[in-house]
Amino acid sequence: MMKGVQFSGNWLKFLAWPGLALMTAGLVVSGLSNLQAIAILLLMGGVILLLLGLSFSGKTAGAFWQQRSTQVGTNAVIAVVSMLVILGLVNFLAVQYSARLDLTETQLFTLAPASQQTTQALDQPVRVIIFDTVRNPRDVQLLESYARQSDQFSFEYIDPFANPIEAQAFGVNQAGMVFLEVDEERRFLQSLTDPNSFPGLAPPEPLSERQLTNALDQIVSDRSLTVYFVQGHGEYVIEDPQAGIQQAITGLGDKSYVVNPLNLSETQEVPEDANVVVVAGPSQDFFAAEVEALRSYLDEGGGLFLLLDPRSDAGLNRLLDDWGILLDDRIVLDTSGAGQFVGLGPAAPIVSNYGDHPITREFGAERSFFPIARPLEIEAPSDVLSTPLLLTDAQSRAEAISDEGDLTFDPEAPGDGPYVLGVALSRPVDGGDAPVDDEAPASETDASPPEEAPLEETTDSESRLVIIGNSTFATDGAFDQLLNGDIFLNAVSWLGQGSDATLSIRPKTVTNRQIQMTGQQALGLGVFAILVLPVSGVAMAILMAWRRR
């Protein structure tokens, strides 16, 4: 047999060592600096020298590549390099096309649809500035979720102690203050720390998705609602902190809505700047002129929110007849026992069934409650679109209250529900006195001159009315419970004919899954885990060994 050609340059086998050195240098340069071109050259040169050194490491040129161990090693190297290339491509694609899967029960790390819609609608740069010494991971997660929705959104953490001049420019007087900056205008958003608490003792407040989205929506829509609360008929007094509706007023203020009182007996009409009129828990009848003022306001495309308790129609039946709504004087009882889990009795029905409407569409099966609520009967005319919002359980039933205010009922009687506790209604506003052809587009049915009100605004607007047979669900103490506050704020937003993105957003909470045990149960579990299980295992092992013998 012919032997391989002997190569005189055996010193070439030592090129493997400088090759390894160059490869190491290339990896170091790539990791510690931005000189990527130099790093690639070092790596390529190192690989070439390493291959040359290995090729001439044997007695015969190319003998190294003919060895079985070399072939096996080469296959292993190719497999490793292929895997690294695949992982690199996967990481590259993950950076270019990022996607996340939120598997938490309450979707803790996912923005609400309203937040996503509002952020995607940003048409100018918006920056959130947090003056704090520590970056809260949960707040960073929330802000990154906003940033993924739009390139126009960004955020920055600034240490107020390390940057006192910039903190002074923003008017920062304590750590934890959050600002929103848009078009060189700065707005205070919220404070993450309680100014009345001692530092380090009270836990910091998390960044509020609700407040942030509401602030972004004001930038997108550039529109703020003016809400009037009717006074003078026993309603809740909005200017009295003891009246019991201050949490609802604060919730409207958080959305930058302007809240004013309205005495119809003095003004005789609803102000022109009123976007929404709220009648909350009246106990006295309206005068005929006041009812007519509300009717005229609705006919002109206004939004009216009625919270009417049982046994008091406040003389508004004349207005409700136009919309096909009948107020039932009975109260709804929920005998299913669901209220006991939240400390409520049968006279405060729990609602977890909601209508398909912008006010309640995102509620799912979450719950709200309405203490002492009346049912509503709906017989809307053909020009009125009605949607039941709040429906009680099938085991609920309605019972009458005596003139003395007493309620008697049989707890064992079967239910005949569900009952409607709230309804949303709308109808188009008439374009004028001229007859309107239902088949023709609105823009073709009005011949008014261009100097008058724009035709598109008149014909496209609609009158909106929301009625709930209870007012105490929105009072202090009940407003922040379950979905009660969301129903109130959502109804006001919808009545103002703004975008659906302005609807309130539920703060996400972690469900407590801890097992509650008594001391005796904990002791028994500990004895079982520390004593019973090990002794049982040893006994079984001894038994098996004895049987084998």
Side-chain angles (χ1 to χ4, degrees), residues 264-472:
L264 288 173
S265 62
E266 297 177 356
T267 62
Q268 300 298 318
E269 63 180 1
V270 177
E272 294 183 357
D273 64 340
N275 300 111
V276 181
V277 173
V278 181
V279 180
S283 57
Q284 303 171 13
D285 288 352
F286 282 65
F287 293 119
E290 295 175 315
V291 177
E292 188 60 32
L294 293 177
R295 178 185 283 115
S296 299
Y297 169 70
L298 275 176
D299 291 342
E300 294 172 0
L304 181 60
F305 193 7
L306 301 179
L307 286 70
L308 305 176
D309 294 312
R311 304 185 65 190
S312 176
D313 59 23
L316 296 174
N317 280 326
R318 290 168 291 178
L319 183 149
L320 297 180
D321 288 342
D322 298 340
W323 294 79
I325 300 299
L326 178 63
L327 300 175
D328 195 326
D329 283 332
R330 298 177 296 172
I331 68 171
V332 178
L333 302 177
D334 185 0
T335 58
S336 65
Q340 297 178 3
F341 294 101
V342 291
L344 301 173
I350 297 290
V351 172
S352 58
N353 186 15
Y354 304 96
D356 184 14
H357 191 273
I359 296 177
T360 54
R361 186 167 295 152
E362 301 296 332
F363 287 173
E366 296 191 56
R367 297 177 296 177
S368 55
F369 67 96
F370 302 84
I372 317 296
R374 72 192 314 164
L376 306 174
E377 297 183 17
I378 307 172
E379 297 180 1
S382 58
D383 63 334
V384 173
L385 176 62
S386 64
T387 304
L389 298 177
L390 312 168
L391 295 95
T392 62
D393 188 86
Q395 300 184 40
S396 60
R397 66 178 190 272
E399 298 286 350
I401 304 177
S402 66
D403 295 336
E404 292 77 18
D406 297 329
L407 173 66
T408 57
F409 66 96
D410 181 8
E412 304 299 330
D416 56 358
Y419 288 93
V420 176
L421 301 185
V423 61
L425 308 105
S426 62
R427 67 182 177 193
V429 176
D430 294 335
D433 296 332
V436 177
D437 184 2
D438 294 336
E439 300 297 326
S443 58
E444 300 176 3
T445 61
D446 189 22
S448 58
E451 299 88 53
E452 298 182 6
L455 177 63
E456 185 176 359
E457 292 183 6
T458 304
T459 55
D460 287 349
S461 63
E462 59 183 7
S463 303
R464 292 184 175 184
L465 174 63
V466 172
I467 309 168
I468 295 180
N470 175 255
S471 67
T472 55

Side-chain angles (χ1 to χ4, degrees), residues 126-147:
V126 175
R127 186 168 67 119
V128 175
I129 303 100
I130 305 98
F131 286 89
D132 209 343
T133 57
V134 179
R135 296 166 61 96
N136 187 320
R138 186 167 180 179
D139 291 345
V140 173
Q141 176 75 36
L142 177 64
L143 293 169
E144 289 177 345
S145 298
Y146 277 96

Side-chain angles (χ1 to χ4, degrees), residues 64-75:
F64 174 80
W65 301 106
Q66 299 175 4
Q67 299 177 11
R68 179 176 179 82
S69 59
T70 302
Q71 296 175 359
V72 174
T74 302
N75 292 335

Side-chain angles (χ1 to χ4, degrees), residues 151-229:
D151 294 336
Q152 301 283 8
F153 184 92
S154 62
F155 66 94
E156 180 182 359
Y157 271 85
I158 299 177
D159 188 342
F161 302 106
N163 300 273
I165 296 178
E166 193 162 6
Q168 185 178 6
F170 277 82
V172 176
N173 52 27
Q174 64 170 5
M177 297 184 70
V178 184
F179 294 85
L180 192 69
E181 187 177 61
V182 52
D183 195 19
E184 299 184 356
E185 179 185 351
R186 298 162 180 173
R187 310 177 187 177
F188 174 72
L189 191 62
Q190 73 173 102
S191 178
L192 304 180
T193 56
D194 185 359
N196 299 320
S197 64
F198 291 99
L201 295 181
E205 293 290 332
L207 192 63
S208 171
E209 179 184 350
R210 175 182 295 179
Q211 288 185 331
L212 183 52
T213 297
N214 287 334
L216 295 178
D217 180 72
Q218 294 171 33
I219 298 172
V220 172
S221 62
D222 195 22
R223 179 174 183 263
S224 177
L225 299 183
T226 300
V227 183
Y228 281 88
F229 279 73

